[in-house]
Amino acid sequence: MCTSIYNLASSDATLLSHLRESVAFLARTHAADLTRQIRTSVSALQALEGIISIDKYGTTLVKFERLAETLMRTYGGISGLALAPFGTLEVTHPLDPNDTALGHALLLDPARRESMVENILSRTTQVVGPMKLLKGGVEAIARRPIFSRYAPQYLPDEWFVAQGVNYTRVCSVPANRDEASCSYPGPQEPDGTPTFFWGFAILILNTADLVGVTNLVSLETGAEGAVPGIDAFAFELADMNPHFTVREFGGVWLRSSRTDALADAVEAVVAVEEPLPLWVPFPVLAVIFFWGGSG
């Protein structure tokens, strides 16, 4: 009898170990799907850069709504796109008529100027977040500085009011042209033509929209045949180095409605790094937790 009980327990332990391995493989598969989708979504900024860099007559701004619709449909997982010529937010899609950010001069705003200049000088994509929004949800904002041979050498004159203080930039007067604030040279074209800062291309990634184009959520309602013996899963998406706005929630971005089975979860890391020389690593380092089912 003792031998039988031992063999039965040993068999159950082996079965459980194999079951966990299967669930872990499933978790890694979905983590890889999220990695690919994030890379794909953020690649829309490269597409915008390519279009703007050869746009001599500024048609990108005029036709931005149609262009943004096409990019969002093509790349998927994108919640919004925007352009900020010379650092001032001018067009967004989808357009919110109540959006107070339109007209925001990012290079004059004292709360943002330093990080914006750093972004331009680095010539890389910079990402803020993922962070929790006041209106709900979690999203990340990616900004890419764009340089063009058709951009003027000096930024246009502009003014911006913040907390009752008027901040101005006057570059039309040669004596006022401080190279650190009026001109941002970019990389030379292959034929030696100089380029200058055109503005920012901006992309918004909402967690719900991003996950919505993957099969992650479907696991909660059942993934037949995914793992024998388990017909549904609980999951959680959390940031290992969270923005302060999500830190109080344990860094959780998204969680399934079924959380009772997460106590003994398996984990898979979603680490997205762009190998391209002009990109910085996308700071999404999340963990997916899978475990659960019936029976």
Side-chain angles (χ1 to χ4, degrees):
M1 184 180 295
C2 291
T3 301
S4 298
I5 293 174
Y6 172 81
N7 289 336
L8 181 60
S10 178
S11 177
D12 287 345
T14 301
L15 179 62
L16 181 60
S17 175
H18 290 163
L19 189 61
R20 286 187 65 87
E21 289 178 5
S22 297
V23 175
F25 176 79
L26 183 64
R28 291 193 297 271
T29 299
H30 281 271
D33 287 344
L34 278 170
T35 295
R36 284 191 294 270
Q37 185 55 55
I38 291 171
R39 285 178 173 168
T40 299
S41 298
V42 177
S43 292
L45 290 178
Q46 276 185 289
L48 275 174
E49 179 182 36
I51 294 169
I52 292 171
S53 65
I54 60 173
D55 182 7
K56 183 176 182 179
Y57 300 104
T59 56
T60 305
L61 288 170
V62 178
K63 302 292 185 180
F64 181 70
E65 183 177 357
R66 182 181 300 178
L67 174 60
E69 282 182 359
T70 301
L71 291 174
M72 291 172 68
R73 184 172 60 251
T74 301
Y75 290 92
I78 301 171
S79 305
L81 289 167
L83 293 177
F86 310 117
T88 299
L89 192 64
E90 186 170 321
V91 290
T92 64
H93 182 78
L95 177 64
D96 180 359
N98 298 317
D99 190 355
T100 58
L102 286 174
H104 194 154
L106 302 172
L107 285 174
L108 292 179
D109 184 348
R112 292 172 172 80
R113 171 177 164 71
E114 184 176 350
S115 63
M116 295 297 163
V117 171
E118 178 186 341
N119 196 172
I120 296 171
L121 296 179
S122 70
R123 302 179 184 175
T124 59
T125 299
Q126 299 287 341
V127 183
V128 180
M131 55 190 172
K132 192 170 184 62
L133 306 178
L134 293 176
K135 62 182 179 181
V138 176
E139 69 182 26
I141 299 174
R143 295 189 309 265
R144 183 165 183 80
I146 295 177
F147 301 88
S148 169
R149 64 165 65 197
Y150 303 114
Q153 180 177 357
Y154 298 102
L155 300 179
D157 297 347
E158 193 165 13
W159 59 274
F160 176 74
V161 177
Q163 298 181 342
V165 179
N166 188 8
Y167 297 89
T168 62
R169 179 181 65 228
V170 180
C171 299
S172 59
V173 180
N176 294 338
R177 289 174 181 170
D178 179 351
E179 291 294 328
S181 61
C182 279
S183 184
Y184 298 99
Q188 285 191 344
E189 297 280 7
D191 62 2
T193 303
T195 66
F196 295 94
F197 176 63
W198 178 93
F200 292 107
I202 301 171
L203 178 143
I204 300 171
L205 284 175
N206 184 283
T207 306
D209 290 338
L210 179 66
V211 172
V213 295
T214 69
N215 293 322
L216 179 62
V217 177
S218 67
L219 291 173
E220 184 181 8
T221 56
E224 295 184 8
V227 177
I230 301 179
D231 58 10
F233 295 82
F235 68 86
E236 183 177 275
L237 213 57
D239 199 330
M240 297 173 65
N241 186 26
H243 189 268
F244 73 92
T245 58
V246 293
R247 197 172 296 146
E248 61 180 300
F249 304 101
V252 174
W253 303 354
L254 188 68
R255 174 183 287 156
S256 65
S257 59
R258 298 180 65 252
T259 58
D260 55 301
L262 291 175
D264 189 24
V266 300
E267 303 178 5
V269 175
V270 182
V272 182
E273 295 184 0
E274 281 293 346
L276 300 177
L278 295 181
W279 289 63
V280 294
F282 190 91
V284 173
L285 189 58
V287 181
I288 303 178
F289 300 83
F290 286 88
W291 195 240
S294 60

